Amino acid sequence: MEEKKLDLNSIIGFALIFGILIWIMYQNQPSEKQIATDKAKKELVEKEATQKAKAVAPVATVATAAGDSTKLVALQATLGNFAYSASLPSAKEAFTTIENDLIKITIANKGGVITEATLKHQERFKKGSGELVSLIKDHNSDLNITLQTQDNRSLATKDLFFEPTLSKVGDNQMVTMRLKAGANEYLEYQYSLKPNDYMVGFGIRSQGLNKIINTSKPLDLEWNLKAFRNEKSISYEKRFADIHYEYEDGKDNNVGLGNDKEESPEKVSYIAFKQHFFTTILLTDKPFEKTKLYSNDLVVDEKVDTIFTRQFKANIPLSFTNGEVNYKMNWYFGPTDYKTLKAYNKNLDKIIPLGWGIFGWINRFIFIPLFGFLSSYIAYGIAIIIFTILIKIAMSPITYKSFLSQAKMKVLRPEITELGEKYKKDAMKKQQETMKLYNKAGVNPMAGCIPALIQIPFMYASFQFFPSAFELRQKGFLWADDLSSFDQVAKLPFHIPLYGDHISLFPILAAVAIFFYMKMTSGDQQMAAPQQEGMPDMTKIMKIMIYISPIMMLIFFNSYGAGLSLYNFISNLITIGIMYVIKNYIVDSEKIHAQIQENKLKEPKKQGKFQQKLQQIMQEAEAQKAQPKKK
């Protein structure tokens, strides 16, 4: 009975697929040593922050009291020219709110900054607990400008009180916050909100401050944000939390995952503090000359660190023009949704990690339009299934070509084995004769590998598309209550390393499907090349991979979004069906054998340039080998 072996081309394909899987899952996983270091660092930072808070508490108490003359004198001594603002009615804790149908923005007198940005009403903007998503609240964010006075003192705007003015221009709500140093000297923040829009207009300008502050160098604007956890799996969520930015007239980049990541881009037009499905973005019409961006992982222990995912920081210089500062900017508080971001026509959709090169093209021009069309008419789970079917049907001609090539190789296997026996002591001659046989029979040994490689970009694109598909958030299907997160069917009383503390069902189904798919590819349906001298035993490797692949699927996908696992399950299921139909109803081995025998009687096809070059190299090597060795 003929021994079943695996085609080397298939091995190459599987190796590439598993290599991509491992790279995707573990490229940013910290070591045990790094985790311990981060935990110690975090405890130290928290300790220092507590001590600092105690140290500045008396100053804060003074700043919040507007009616006590003793405290006001102390405030004046501290703030100098800006004591004017402390005598205003706004010199107390008060807030101004503007909102539309999409977002609610709350602005504090103290610091003049946004203290709450909450997304409203829509079900997909809620957390699992039912609470609305707030990108800013409970002091997780601050914005501060350091003012250097003419007499070399530093003032922090976050500790000073701004005077609010609420107005309406057409349908737009506007809030002007002024930090006054005198009747006509002030620093101004201006906020504006349109109806049905996530974008908040934001401007910073000064008037007359050049008489008070040092304008020889730019103002230092510091923006900090601790990103809240909004999703069920904090480990999955933090993989997609990062700082993205656009710089130098349209280039885009990101700071990167991990700990203590820093970048210093120049001429920056926007900075995005991106969470998984929500994003806070600062945009500017006049690029920031040079910025310093910092990102750090706040999740050291997932059982303890359950509130925040990452710490984001941006230091931005605000340059003076004719002695004044004047920047027109915007804040975006909203979903990390491709269509929403792209509609602003400011390249904001680039913050969504759809993949580079061909992977991004597949997502932008095939996956997103197709899935968007399907999901607008049918439920999201069904849309994933139909989406997968259409993709696999479109790829079926490639699957057919790959299977046909392997079937031809199977027919030739006895002759190739015979050549191997005949020239087993001369590997070069055996290779030459094998190439002649391929050419004479009209068979290309690479024809089975190339179609498999063509499918890899679509596979990788799916790994980028489904985790980024905002539409899946809070959308259920069958037992999965949220297709953007794992589909837990059982909670474990213990934690399994790499796997987790729960059991997801869709990864199990996907693992079963890939097991049977690989059983098919290792059987009579797939043709393997004869054992090559010096090469490992492909049969043994395949037997191992049949079991390793499902295990990898179970481990890696247990905490991934159910939408991706559903896609992989249906994809493998359809591939099994297509291969069964091709083998039993389309490809006829007897006809293939007859065609190959007929091809042998014809004039051999002209070799391609690559084959000619390879043949030439072999002949030269053979000739050199035949030459007598010099003594």
Side-chain angles (χ1 to χ4, degrees):
M1 186 175 178
E2 190 175 40
E3 186 181 11
K4 300 175 182 178
K5 299 177 181 178
L6 183 68
D7 187 356
L8 180 59
N9 296 330
S10 298
I11 288 293
I12 294 173
F14 286 127
L16 287 171
I17 290 172
F18 293 133
I20 291 172
L21 281 173
I22 293 172
W23 179 76
I24 292 172
M25 308 297 176
Y26 285 101
Q27 61 175 328
N28 294 299
Q29 294 297 313
S31 63
E32 294 291 335
K33 183 178 179 181
Q34 183 66 48
I35 291 175
T37 302
D38 294 339
K39 189 170 185 179
K41 185 188 297 183
K42 181 181 177 184
E43 291 173 352
L44 178 61
V45 170
E46 289 176 347
K47 183 177 180 181
E48 291 176 348
T50 302
Q51 293 173 348
K52 184 177 179 181
K54 291 179 180 178
V56 302
V59 177
T61 303
V62 171
T64 57
D68 191 317
S69 59
T70 303
K71 292 178 180 178
L72 180 57
V73 170
L75 185 62
Q76 290 173 332
T78 303
L79 304 182
N81 293 84
F82 286 90
Y84 182 88
S85 65
S87 64
L88 299 171
S90 62
K92 60 183 179 181
E93 286 287 2
F95 304 88
T96 304
T97 298
I98 53 177
E99 59 185 311
N100 58 23
D101 291 339
L102 299 180
I103 56 175
K104 175 184 177 182
I105 302 295
T106 300
I107 306 163
N109 288 359
K110 188 176 182 181
V113 297
I114 296 174
T115 56
E116 181 182 347
T118 300
L119 305 182
K120 297 170 57 177
H121 303 311
Q122 299 191 42
E123 288 295 324
R124 60 181 183 169
F125 292 168
K126 291 183 178 180
K127 299 182 180 181
S129 61
E131 178 186 0
L132 289 172
V133 170
S134 292
L135 299 180
I136 298 178
K137 70 172 183 178
D138 299 336
H139 308 290
N140 74 312
S141 175
D142 64 73
L143 186 79
N144 178 65
I145 294 179
T146 301
L147 304 172
Q148 296 290 336
T149 65
Q150 297 282 11
D151 55 354
N152 295 321
R153 288 180 295 118
S154 294
L155 303 176
T157 58
K158 65 180 180 180
D159 297 325
L160 305 177
F161 287 87
F162 288 64
E163 181 181 6
T165 301
L166 178 63
S167 60
K168 197 168 185 181
V169 180
D171 293 331
N172 298 348
Q173 304 170 65
M174 302 195 64
V175 177
T176 301
M177 307 293 293
R178 285 184 177 176
L179 174 63
K180 293 190 174 183
N184 296 306
E185 294 87 30
Y186 54 83
L187 177 68
E188 178 182 277
Y189 296 162
Q190 189 175 79
Y191 302 88
S192 62
L193 182 61
K194 300 176 182 178
N196 198 40
D197 199 346
Y198 296 107
M199 195 74 76
V200 179
F202 178 56
I204 298 178
R205 75 181 187 94
S206 66
Q207 179 172 305
L209 292 189
N210 54 343
K211 303 173 184 178
I212 302 169
I213 64 175
N214 184 359
T215 60
S216 61
K217 60 180 182 179
L219 293 180
D220 182 20
L221 172 66
E222 183 177 329
W223 172 33
N224 299 320
L225 185 142
K226 291 172 70 175
F228 283 115
R229 172 190 181 179
N230 294 312
E231 312 305 328
K232 182 163 59 175
S233 173
I234 192 168
S235 61
Y236 190 51
E237 182 178 5
K238 73 174 185 175
R239 292 176 191 172
F240 302 95
D242 197 356
I243 299 179
H244 291 253
Y245 56 91
E246 184 181 65
Y247 66 109
E248 296 180 2
D249 299 324
K251 298 180 183 177
D252 65 279
N253 206 341
N254 63 297
V255 173
L257 303 180
N259 301 289
D260 297 324
K261 296 293 185 178
E262 292 185 358
E263 291 289 341
S264 299
E266 299 181 356
K267 297 189 180 303
V268 175
S269 50
Y270 72 67
I271 301 168
F273 288 173
K274 177 185 174 295
Q275 298 169 238
H276 188 177
F277 287 122
F278 301 95
T279 301
T280 303
I281 309 174
L282 178 62
L283 306 93
T284 177
D285 291 346
K286 180 170 66 174
F288 304 130
E289 287 299 321
K290 189 171 184 178
T291 62
K292 185 176 181 181
L293 307 176
Y294 172 84
S295 175
N296 188 48
D297 190 355
L298 296 179
V299 182
V300 178
D301 185 344
E302 293 182 13
K303 295 181 180 179
V304 178
D305 305 321
T306 59
I307 299 176
F308 302 103
T309 56
R310 296 193 70 80
Q311 172 72 63
F312 298 130
K313 294 182 180 181
N315 287 94
I316 305 166
L318 301 180
S319 59
F320 288 92
T321 302
N322 298 323
E324 302 290 356
V325 168
N326 191 357
Y327 278 82
K328 293 182 179 179
M329 298 182 280
N330 288 279
W331 290 107
Y332 173 85
F333 302 101
T336 314
D337 176 56
Y338 179 82
K339 293 180 180 178
T340 302
L341 293 172
K342 189 173 179 59
Y344 287 104
N345 198 29
K346 293 181 179 292
N347 297 327
L348 299 183
D349 54 289
K350 290 184 178 180
I351 73 172
I352 300 176
L354 296 177
W356 53 270
I358 188 173
F359 311 118
W361 299 340
I362 291 172
N363 277 322
R364 286 182 173 87
F365 303 118
I366 299 178
F367 283 9
I368 290 176
L370 177 59
F371 187 75
F373 173 77
L374 294 173
S375 59
S376 62
Y377 292 100
I378 53 180
Y380 284 90
I382 302 299
I384 291 177
I385 294 175
I386 296 177
F387 170 84
T388 311
I389 292 172
L390 293 176
I391 294 295
K392 297 306 292 185
I393 290 176
M395 299 293 289
S396 60
I398 297 176
T399 304
Y400 169 75
K401 286 183 177 296
S402 179
F403 189 92
L404 181 62
S405 175
Q406 292 165 345
K408 290 179 179 179
M409 293 289 291
K410 180 179 180 180
V411 172
L412 285 178
R413 182 165 55 180
E415 296 180 55
I416 296 173
T417 302
E418 185 179 338
L419 289 174
E421 289 296 324
K422 184 177 181 180
Y423 300 105
K424 61 182 178 181
K425 295 183 179 181
D426 191 341
M428 182 65 70
K429 185 68 174 176
K430 180 178 68 175
Q431 192 66 32
Q432 288 178 334
E433 293 300 319
T434 301
M435 293 293 293
K436 288 180 182 179
L437 176 62
Y438 287 151
N439 188 45
K440 189 176 181 180
V443 174
N444 184 355
M446 295 298 294
C449 182
I450 294 175
L453 293 176
I454 292 174
Q455 297 184 67
I456 289 179
F458 286 84
M459 183 208 70
Y460 180 78
S462 71
F463 278 89
Q464 301 294 110
F465 170 72
F466 283 100
S468 301
F470 180 81
E471 305 97 308
L472 299 180
R473 189 178 188 273
Q474 300 293 338
K475 299 300 180 181
F477 179 64
L478 298 178
W479 56 85
D481 56 5
D482 184 353
L483 286 168
S484 70
S485 189
F486 57 82
D487 57 312
Q488 176 180 311
V489 293
K491 181 73 173 178
L492 299 175
F494 48 84
H495 184 275
I496 301 175
L498 299 179
Y499 185 73
D501 59 358
H502 65 275
I503 298 175
S504 299
L505 184 53
F506 277 130
I508 294 176
L509 296 176
V512 171
I514 199 173
F515 173 79
F516 283 104
Y517 165 71
M518 295 195 69
K519 288 286 284 186
M520 289 182 68
T521 60
S522 66
D524 289 339
Q525 291 88 346
Q526 297 290 333
M527 169 60 199
Q531 182 68 33
Q532 299 291 324
E533 186 177 348
M535 293 291 290
D537 190 334
M538 296 296 110
T539 304
K540 292 181 179 179
I541 292 176
M542 187 58 192
K543 287 180 179 179
I544 295 173
M545 291 181 68
I546 287 174
Y547 298 98
I548 289 180
S549 299
I551 292 174
M552 290 175 66
M553 179 69 70
L554 285 174
I555 293 175
F556 292 150
F557 284 77
N558 192 58
S559 294
Y560 260 57
L564 180 59
S565 297
L566 173 61
Y567 171 82
N568 279 279
F569 167 57
I570 299 298
S571 178
N572 284 311
L573 210 60
I574 294 171
T575 301
I576 290 172
I578 290 175
M579 290 177 61
Y580 179 83
V581 171
I582 290 174
K583 175 187 178 293
N584 291 281
Y585 300 100
I586 299 178
V587 173
D588 189 326
S589 297
E590 293 183 0
K591 288 184 178 180
I592 291 174
H593 183 270
Q595 183 63 52
I596 288 177
Q597 299 306 317
E598 183 179 336
N599 290 342
K600 289 180 181 180
L601 300 177
K602 298 178 181 178
E603 192 72 23
K605 292 183 179 180
K606 185 178 180 180
Q607 292 181 330
K609 291 184 178 180
F610 175 77
Q611 290 178 311
Q612 291 176 359
K613 187 64 176 177
L614 183 61
Q615 188 72 17
Q616 181 183 349
I617 293 173
M618 289 182 178
Q619 289 174 353
E620 290 175 355
E622 188 69 20
Q624 187 177 4
K625 182 179 178 182
Q627 292 178 356
K629 294 182 180 180
K630 295 181 179 179
K631 294 184 179 180

